[in-house]
Amino acid sequence: MSVNGKRILLGVTGSISAYKSALLVRLLVKAGADVQVVMTESAKAFITPLTLATLAKRPVFSSFVQSEHQSGGEGSWTNHVELGLWADVFVVAPASAHTLARCANGLCDDLLSAVYLSAKCPVFFAPAMDLDMYRHPATVENLRRLGSFGNHIIRAEHGELASGLVGEGRLAEPETIMQVLSTFFDHPKPLLGKHVLITAGPTQEPIDPVRYISNHSTGKMGYALAAAFVKAGATVTLVSGPTGLPLPDPAIRRIDVQSARQMFEATQAAFAEADVLVLNAAVADYSPAHPAEQKIKKKEAHFSLELTKTTDIAATLGAQKKPGQLLMGFALETNNERENALKKLHTKNLDWIVLNSLRDTGAGFGHDTNKITVIDKDGQTHEFALKTKAEVAEDLVNIVAGNLVS
């Protein structure tokens, strides 16, 4: 199905990357979409309304009142409410730092922001700005707020910027935005409007500036879960330990951490706004009590390392869980699998525990497959055959979705 026959409202704001909006309109129209462009006044300095109107085959709107020349007669009112109701999706690309700030804070001083506040459809923001602006705490907070409202964020890409700097801030390529929209329309959206927080990968606990304690987790299962939840319509925040994995979907907000403490702090900070928390990361249970500031030299035949227990993320957040929030934990076991999993389920106030065993061929760290058993807080058990981790992720999304809609 993709975007064919879909009504796409495209918001264009004042950014040098506005030239890419012409390419995006062209791709959407060729794919069979009906495109209506709304521009800010500052966007006209970068691309003309005539260009976008010609490509979209529709007049471009930029103000509440169209002039006589624009309307072909007397001045006419542009109804922002009707535009918001007309669209299947509203895509703001490029979304400048100024527009992000206005929308995140509910300001309504132009047509585009009025349409945003009136829109009943899903909204996608594709930010574009210079590196330092994109990294600024104000922009980071505005993107976080927009995501917490249920909007979708198409992350800016890394590359050469108009300023000559190299880094994050480039508008996602039109082909990438098309891919995001196609995925959105092609997949059922049972979790639309829900915020899912996922932890993934290992943690690294420093011994000295060179060495650390870690485990064999690759993050594959957590990243597959993030991709599956996005496809189901959820807004996804992924707190990731060190991995070599690429972000599976540009709509995912990834927070990179290294240590167990950093993972706890990042997860706790985002927990209050989450409807679902999926604790998939392999977090270290112990960390060196006194990491050395300099590299430890090899001298003695025996070396002792004092360890201290790390914060139990599942238990801490399980105790903070509010009514309506759902928690899913994972238990990778080598013996007494079910007994250990049930203990974790109940002592940490989880709604589900996902059990897998290193004794099962093809399950555990490093594989592209997994074999799981899911036990819920009421004692019901769901056993699954060996599947790819992408398929396992789909199964877990279905379990969560079934609970949220029931």
Side-chain angles (χ1 to χ4, degrees), residues 25-275:
V25 171
R26 181 67 171 161
L27 289 174
L28 288 167
V29 171
K30 286 184 68 175
D34 192 359
V35 181
Q36 174 64 64
V37 177
V38 175
M39 300 179 72
T40 62
E41 287 298 322
S42 59
K44 296 178 182 178
F46 300 97
I47 188 169
T48 67
L50 178 60
T51 298
L52 296 175
T54 301
L55 293 171
K57 300 178 176 61
R58 279 175 168 269
V60 168
F61 298 133
S62 58
S63 60
F64 289 102
V65 179
Q66 288 182 278
S67 67
E68 295 182 13
H69 173 72
Q70 288 173 314
S71 60
E74 295 183 359
S76 63
W77 171 255
T78 302
N79 193 317
H80 58 281
V81 176
E82 287 184 359
L83 285 172
L85 292 172
W86 171 84
D88 292 310
V89 294
F90 182 21
V91 183
V92 184
S96 66
H98 184 63
T99 294
L100 292 174
R102 288 213 313 271
C103 293
N105 291 281
L107 301 180
C108 187
D109 56 356
D110 67 0
L111 180 62
L112 190 149
S113 56
V115 171
Y116 166 67
L117 290 179
S118 303
K120 299 296 185 183
C121 60
V123 180
F124 292 77
F125 287 95
M129 65 202 71
D130 204 53
L131 171 65
D132 294 326
M133 296 174 67
Y134 190 62
R135 288 180 174 176
H136 194 280
T139 303
V140 172
E141 173 63 14
N142 288 332
L143 286 169
R144 184 200 66 77
R145 290 196 71 191
L146 289 170
S148 73
F149 298 157
N151 301 301
H152 302 265
I153 309 300
I154 304 175
R155 311 304 297 183
E157 296 180 354
H158 184 282
E160 185 176 355
L161 304 172
S163 65
L165 297 175
V166 176
E168 283 188 312
R170 285 169 58 107
L171 176 69
E173 293 300 322
E175 292 81 4
T176 300
I177 297 173
M178 283 288 293
Q179 176 190 343
V180 171
L181 294 177
S182 295
T183 300
F184 176 82
F185 285 120
D186 286 345
H187 199 279
K189 301 294 181 295
L191 297 179
L192 193 63
K194 301 298 182 181
H195 182 194
V196 178
L197 176 61
I198 302 171
T199 66
T203 62
Q204 296 176 350
E205 312 305 314
I207 297 172
D208 61 23
V210 177
R211 307 174 182 91
Y212 56 81
I213 298 173
S214 190
N215 54 60
H216 297 295
S217 174
T218 61
K220 289 181 178 180
M221 189 68 250
Y223 276 58
L225 283 163
F229 274 105
V230 164
K231 287 182 180 179
T235 299
V236 174
T237 298
L238 176 65
V239 181
S240 175
T243 77
L245 300 174
L247 195 65
D249 191 294
I252 297 169
R253 176 194 178 209
R254 183 173 68 185
I255 302 173
D256 292 318
V257 299
Q258 184 173 12
S259 67
R261 171 167 288 281
Q262 291 172 349
M263 182 164 285
F264 166 67
E265 291 173 349
T267 305
Q268 186 179 48
F271 179 56
E273 296 172 348
D275 298 292

Side-chain angles (χ1 to χ4, degrees), residues 330-382:
F330 281 68
L332 176 61
E333 303 292 342
T334 59
N335 63 297
N336 299 326
E337 287 94 337
R338 186 178 179 86
E339 177 184 345
N340 289 330
L342 285 171
K343 181 179 179 181
K344 189 173 184 179
L345 172 69
H346 296 301
T347 60
K348 301 185 181 185
N349 195 25
L350 304 176
D351 294 280
W352 301 278
I353 191 73
V354 181
L355 168 64
N356 57 346
S357 172
L358 283 178
R359 296 196 293 180
D360 290 329
T361 302
F365 296 136
H367 298 287
D368 292 325
T369 55
N370 205 356
K371 184 177 185 296
I372 64 168
T373 298
V374 182
I375 308 172
D376 67 25
K377 62 183 179 181
D378 297 321
Q380 295 183 345
T381 300
H382 308 269

Side-chain angles (χ1 to χ4, degrees), residues 225 229 276-280 326-330 350-354 374 396-397 399-400:
L225 283 163
F229 274 105
V276 181
L277 171 59
V278 181
L279 295 164
N280 177 254
L326 299 175
L327 270 63
M328 175 179 284
F330 281 68
L350 304 176
D351 294 280
W352 301 278
I353 191 73
V354 181
V374 182
L396 294 176
V397 167
I399 288 175
V400 171

